[in-house]
Amino acid sequence: MTASTQFKLYYWGEIQGRGEFVRLALEDAGAEYVDVARLPKAQGGGSGAVAEFLKKSTAFAPPILVADGLEIAQTAAILEYLGARLGLVPADEASRVFAHQIELTISDFVLEIHDSHHPIAGSLYYEDQKPEALRRAAPFVKERLPKFLGYFERLVARNPSVTLLSSGHSYVDLSMFQVLEGLDYAFPKALARLAPKIPLLCALRERVRARPRIAAYLASPRRIPFNQQGIFRNYPELDVAP
Ligand SMILES: N[C@@H](CCC(=O)N[C@@H](CS)C(=O)NCC(=O)O)C(=O)O
């Protein structure tokens, strides 16, 4: 990374989505970045600019980060790159590989969360796949949610620092925070019932929320509120008893 590195994020401007995992890392590190979709159209911004960029890009789908002449897609790959450059992961190979492994597991979890409301196709409205979503969400809440969260809780339990990595705070903690925030929006009842079983994840969530740059970001207009277009959607009928 050079002193003049400028990070450009290409992601949809109306949702937190997967772009939020990248935004949180940039914000926590105090990095200067351009969130292209959120620039005015007159300055080359808007979600149209992201769609145009994607047509010429080597990436399959956003988020895409442009930095130092590189164009990087896949949330976990972007965070692997940023983590090393922004001091959000230790330099040693074992820590970096383990952080990447955790982030990929978070990506798997995020996909299952998305598929709980869109089990048939992302191109169909929720209302057009509601019976399938009801079927899909029930085992997700009963089996997958406790399994994923129990796994992450066990990782945090290995460390006294309320972090997923033994070395301390890292980009995977920021992603874990985002998943917990999203689950609280999408599945508030299920998460509340599971909370007594995941005290360390709850503590991690509050620890990340209190980080000064994260707190400032969450209070700023840059943080897009959760809504019914993103990955985490609040459909109360899917928030069934685990
Ligand atoms: N595995 C990719 C998934 C990327 C992805 O699914 N991006 C969504 C927005 S969150 C998208 O625009 N997908 C378009 C598509 O799949 O056709 C990642 O983690 O970045």
Side-chain angles (χ1 to χ4, degrees):
M1 185 172 72
T2 65
S4 61
T5 296
Q6 193 198 36
F7 298 108
K8 265 190 172 184
L9 173 65
Y10 288 83
Y11 192 73
W12 311 120
E14 299 78 21
I15 58 169
Q16 293 182 12
R18 289 180 175 85
E20 198 64 13
F21 295 90
V22 181
R23 293 187 186 111
L24 283 170
L26 292 163
E27 293 280 348
D28 190 55
E32 280 192 28
Y33 69 101
V34 177
D35 198 341
V36 175
R38 306 205 73 207
L39 285 177
K41 274 190 189 169
Q43 289 174 37
S47 285
V50 176
E52 280 308 307
F53 182 80
L54 190 57
K55 282 185 199 164
K56 294 171 276 165
S57 165
T58 52
F60 176 72
I64 305 163
L65 185 82
V66 174
D68 276 337
L70 297 174
E71 195 179 299
I72 311 163
Q74 291 289 350
T75 311
I78 295 171
L79 289 171
E80 220 266 316
Y81 168 87
L82 280 180
R85 277 146 194 88
L86 300 179
L88 285 171
V89 75
D92 66 283
E93 189 175 43
S95 299
R96 287 184 57 175
V97 170
F98 188 44
H100 191 46
Q101 174 193 317
I102 297 171
E103 192 64 38
L104 286 167
T105 310
I106 290 175
S107 290
D108 290 347
F109 191 20
V110 166
L111 184 60
E112 291 199 26
I113 293 164
H114 170 271
D115 288 356
S116 69
H117 54 76
H118 272 70
I120 302 297
S123 55
L124 291 175
Y125 289 114
Y126 167 67
E127 289 70 23
D128 295 329
Q129 48 194 314
K130 199 167 163 183
E132 292 89 352
L134 286 166
R135 285 197 71 193
R136 175 83 189 230
F140 170 75
V141 171
K142 192 164 185 275
E143 297 158 16
R144 303 298 285 173
L145 197 55
K147 185 169 181 178
F148 272 110
L149 293 179
Y151 165 70
F152 294 123
E153 177 79 7
R154 286 200 304 281
L155 291 188
V156 180
R158 292 158 26 119
N159 312 313
S161 45
V162 197
T163 55
L164 286 158
L165 297 189
S166 60
S167 49
H169 179 72
S170 70
Y171 70 83
V172 285
D173 294 335
L174 298 169
S175 294
M176 198 68 245
F177 165 79
Q178 176 63 9
V179 167
L180 293 166
E181 290 289 295
L183 288 173
D184 208 2
Y185 174 76
F187 296 99
K189 286 198 242 160
L191 191 65
R193 274 191 298 267
L194 281 171
K197 293 189 175 151
I198 51 164
L200 297 173
L201 286 183
C202 295
L204 180 151
R205 181 182 174 195
E206 296 316 313
R207 180 183 66 69
V208 170
R209 190 199 308 290
R211 288 176 67 80
R213 287 193 187 116
I214 293 297
Y217 170 63
L218 296 177
S220 80
R222 297 191 301 286
R223 172 77 163 182
I224 301 165
F226 284 108
N227 59 44
Q228 297 294 77
Q229 281 81 49
I231 291 167
F232 301 97
R233 302 191 191 187
N234 179 258
Y235 296 121
E237 62 275 19
L238 302 186
D239 187 13
V240 290

